[in-house]
Amino acid sequence: MAKRKKAKKRRTKATAKKSARKVVRLSSARKSAKKANGNGLPRPSNKPYGMAGRALDGLRILDFTHVQSGPTCTQLLAYMGADVIKVERPGAGDITRGQLRDVPNADSLYFTMLNGSKRSITIDSKHPKGTEILNRLIKTCDVLVENFAPGALDRMGLTWEHIHKTNPRMIVASVKGFGPGPYEDCKVYENVAQCAGGSASTTGFREGPPLVTGAQIGDSGTGLHLALGIMSALYQRNRTGRGQKVLCAMQDGVLNLARVKLRDQQRLAHGPLTEYSQYGEGVPFGIAVPRAGNDSGGGQPGWIVKCKGWENDPDAYLYFITQAPVWGAICDVIGEPSWKTDPEYATPKARLPKLKQIFARIEQFTMTMDKFEAMDLFNKHDIPCGPILSMKEIAEEQSLRSTGTVVEVDHPTRGKYLTVGNPIKLSDSPADVRRSPLLGEHTDEILKDVLGFKAAEIAEIKNSGALSAPPKKEKAA
Ligand code: COA
């Protein structure tokens, strides 16, 4: 009896000691974590850079986007590691799958280059069973991204109130053509946004009509803005615990990119825009910012000049900037050393009215060499300039391949194709650039692994018709 009592005492003592050690260990761990970080962040990872997962691992996106603006945003998030589940209409999918097709029966480059690294599920969002699946997806995803025409999401029953009630943490991110106002109900495509955002009126040559630019600043530009909005909303959710709506209007996105022209509009009230070549040519300014051809938008005058071979090669040109700090070097290289001290040329102000003549002289010089030789020569003297690269040259440029900006991926029905990888490089998160999914390629996998449906339930869902295209109506005889 006494022996047993002694043993019990020993055990109790040992347990007490153990738990005391535990308490000490836990509290000291917390203390040292606090000491190390001070802001509740985990300790810095010991894993080598690039081996600690991807930036957006664990983030799940319900991707209701189509065409270009929305898909640009979600593709970027997928490259950064998010699990992007693209919901597409059964039988049809994103309309771009079939637009501008180059290979018969294969998804177009239009689609494949905007939907890489995503998973595709087909759901008829207007079918009752489809609604049920979508509600389940809303519960498990962090962000819903859409760029339907105004009102389309509501017509599917996916109002903000419904989504927020179903998952208060969900962020609902939308691209629309216009923000609230007279045009809010309008459908909008790229060039409409370029026109409404102030870009077209300020692009092109003064004597010609407004011009749209090839860079998709309305679609892709707004998609990029949306990605930033989503990231900010996610960061705020860490504090508030709740989601919010993120809206990017294409008109706003274009205007944001064209803000230097709104700057110039206000400067007009105080006199002519002296850095525009129209000033040097003595052409009076009107009431609005004019088109400025290839004038530079900043304080250092620039223009496009011809290089050797321009007669046959439409891209044998160089953009040349007469940056003030290297004016002396420019004069020496082009063979006009006297311009360094001649009061007619020596200061930026004196040069402004003569820009046309100065660029004509520079062009005389650049026409003696090809654009790459010119680039090499001027860069030796720290003179800013850039060759006009064709898309062919860009596709073949090895340095863009080695940085992952241009990536070749393999596709089961169209074979190899080039896509633009992640232009944003993260040192600890290598980009995950994979081919685009086939229509509905991941339907079963998502139903099973993400939503937890059993095989029998999946069969029932399939039988309901929620995942397939409605049967084609018989034509009347
Ligand atoms: N199941 C069932 N129906 C679906 C569906 C699915 N999985 N996915 C889409 N639909 C339906 C929508 O509910 C909508 O139906 P409704 O109008 O009867 O309610 C319909 O498909 C078409 O959607 P919508 O967005 O109007 O497509 P559209 O081809 O007519 O217009 C745009 C295309 C781009 C002009 C328009 O979506 C738009 O203005 N978007 C906002 C701005 C934008 O992003 N523009 C740039 C695009 S790159």
Side-chain angles (χ1 to χ4, degrees):
M1 182 77 179
K3 252 186 183 176
R4 246 188 276 151
K5 259 190 177 173
K6 262 189 179 171
K8 199 179 169 191
K9 220 175 170 183
R10 268 202 307 271
R11 271 203 307 274
T12 332
K13 245 183 164 177
T15 326
K17 248 187 175 174
K18 229 180 177 177
S19 49
R21 266 206 308 272
K22 247 189 202 164
V23 169
V24 170
R25 250 191 251 134
L26 264 178
S27 62
S28 68
R30 266 194 218 116
K31 258 188 207 158
S32 59
K34 264 195 172 169
K35 228 188 204 172
N37 313 297
N39 53 7
L41 290 177
R43 286 177 159 279
S45 169
N46 290 325
K47 292 187 177 154
Y49 270 78
M51 302 299 284
R54 294 202 162 82
L56 299 184
D57 274 349
L59 182 69
R60 188 163 278 156
I61 311 273
L62 178 52
D63 182 10
F64 248 128
T65 67
H66 65 157
V67 201
Q68 186 184 166
S69 64
T72 303
C73 166
T74 50
Q75 177 171 260
L76 198 61
L77 301 179
Y79 284 174
M80 305 259 199
D83 178 16
V84 175
I85 298 176
K86 183 166 172 113
V87 177
E88 295 183 82
R89 196 206 289 255
D94 188 324
I95 193 170
T96 60
R97 283 187 185 267
Q99 282 181 334
L100 312 179
R101 260 199 179 132
D102 53 334
V103 177
N105 303 321
D107 288 332
S108 71
L109 286 166
Y110 194 0
F111 176 84
T112 52
M113 290 179 73
L114 286 162
N115 292 285
S117 305
K118 303 180 186 178
R119 299 202 271 177
S120 166
I121 180 170
T122 50
I123 305 174
D124 179 349
S125 62
K126 288 170 182 160
H127 189 288
K129 201 81 189 163
T131 311
E132 214 180 295
I133 301 166
L134 281 173
N135 282 333
R136 234 154 128 157
L137 275 168
I138 288 170
K139 281 188 187 138
T140 67
C141 290
D142 299 280
V143 188
L144 184 155
V145 190
E146 63 94 21
N147 67 307
F148 289 124
L153 198 65
D154 288 0
R155 288 195 290 278
M156 289 177 185
L158 300 178
T159 60
W160 160 253
E161 289 73 22
H162 171 77
I163 296 168
H164 190 61
K165 204 167 142 212
T166 310
N167 176 2
R169 295 183 194 279
M170 177 163 260
I171 288 150
V172 179
S174 307
V175 170
K176 294 289 165 260
F178 293 93
Y183 305 120
E184 64 187 309
D185 291 330
C186 300
K187 286 185 175 181
V188 169
Y189 282 107
E190 170 69 46
N191 289 345
V192 176
Q194 287 199 23
C195 294
S199 172
S201 72
T202 53
T203 303
F205 287 92
R206 199 175 59 245
E207 312 77 29
L211 219 60
V212 293
T213 151
Q216 305 285 281
I217 57 175
D219 279 342
S220 288
T222 309
L224 297 177
H225 283 87
L226 194 70
L228 180 58
I230 291 170
M231 287 299 112
S232 306
L234 282 167
Y235 192 76
Q236 188 171 8
R237 190 180 73 166
N238 289 339
R239 276 186 288 115
T240 62
R242 66 184 184 202
Q244 61 182 296
K245 289 187 275 182
V246 179
L247 170 68
C248 283
M250 293 167 74
Q251 181 184 37
D252 301 4
V254 170
L255 175 59
N256 188 34
L257 298 177
R259 67 170 52 222
V260 296
K261 299 298 178 180
L262 186 56
R263 172 200 70 194
D264 292 350
Q265 181 61 41
Q266 295 170 85
R267 289 173 59 220
L268 260 184
H270 303 277
L273 306 170
T274 51
E275 78 284 13
Y276 281 51
S277 27
Q278 124 171 36
Y279 169 72
E281 290 163 35
V283 179
F285 284 80
I287 53 169
V289 175
R291 292 183 267 291
N294 288 319
D295 283 335
S296 128
Q300 309 286 353
W303 196 255
I304 286 183
V305 289
K306 290 171 184 159
C307 292
K308 197 175 184 174
W310 66 274
E311 298 90 338
N312 302 313
D313 176 357
D315 299 308
Y317 289 83
L318 183 82
Y319 198 92
F320 191 98
I321 298 176
T322 56
Q323 193 204 14
V326 289
W327 176 245
I330 295 171
C331 297
D332 286 336
V333 177
I334 64 167
E336 294 290 348
S338 65
W339 283 3
K340 287 190 285 187
T341 48
D342 182 342
E344 287 292 306
Y345 295 91
T347 64
K349 196 166 174 221
R351 292 195 287 276
L352 282 176
K354 299 182 206 65
L355 288 178
K356 204 171 173 181
Q357 176 213 331
I358 291 170
F359 283 115
R361 175 66 188 95
I362 293 168
E363 188 171 70
Q364 238 181 14
F365 180 75
T366 55
M367 279 162 68
T368 62
M369 62 196 81
D370 74 35
K371 61 188 176 188
F372 297 109
E373 289 165 350
M375 171 84 174
D376 286 348
L377 175 64
F378 288 122
N379 268 291
K380 272 193 197 113
H381 299 274
D382 225 9
I383 299 166
C385 61
I388 307 306
L389 294 184
S390 68
M391 276 299 159
K392 182 175 185 296
E393 286 163 333
I394 285 174
E396 291 163 359
E397 175 60 53
Q398 279 315 305
S399 65
L400 293 176
R401 298 285 182 103
S402 49
T403 56
T405 297
V406 175
V407 184
E408 188 177 78
V409 286
D410 206 357
H411 188 275
T413 55
R414 66 168 302 118
K416 289 191 165 59
Y417 67 96
L418 289 184
T419 191
V420 182
N422 195 348
I424 304 165
K425 317 292 186 206
L426 274 66
S427 68
D428 202 9
S429 175
D432 174 26
V433 181
R434 284 173 283 128
R435 71 163 173 88
S436 61
L438 300 172
L439 180 60
E441 184 176 344
H442 305 98
T443 300
D444 283 47
E445 165 183 315
I446 291 164
L447 291 175
K448 185 168 161 273
D449 301 342
V450 177
L451 299 178
F453 284 113
K454 304 266 178 313
E457 290 171 306
I458 295 177
E460 191 199 322
I461 293 168
K462 284 186 173 166
N463 280 337
S464 76
L467 310 182
S468 43
K472 281 198 179 117
K473 280 183 192 144
E474 292 277 324
K475 271 191 188 156

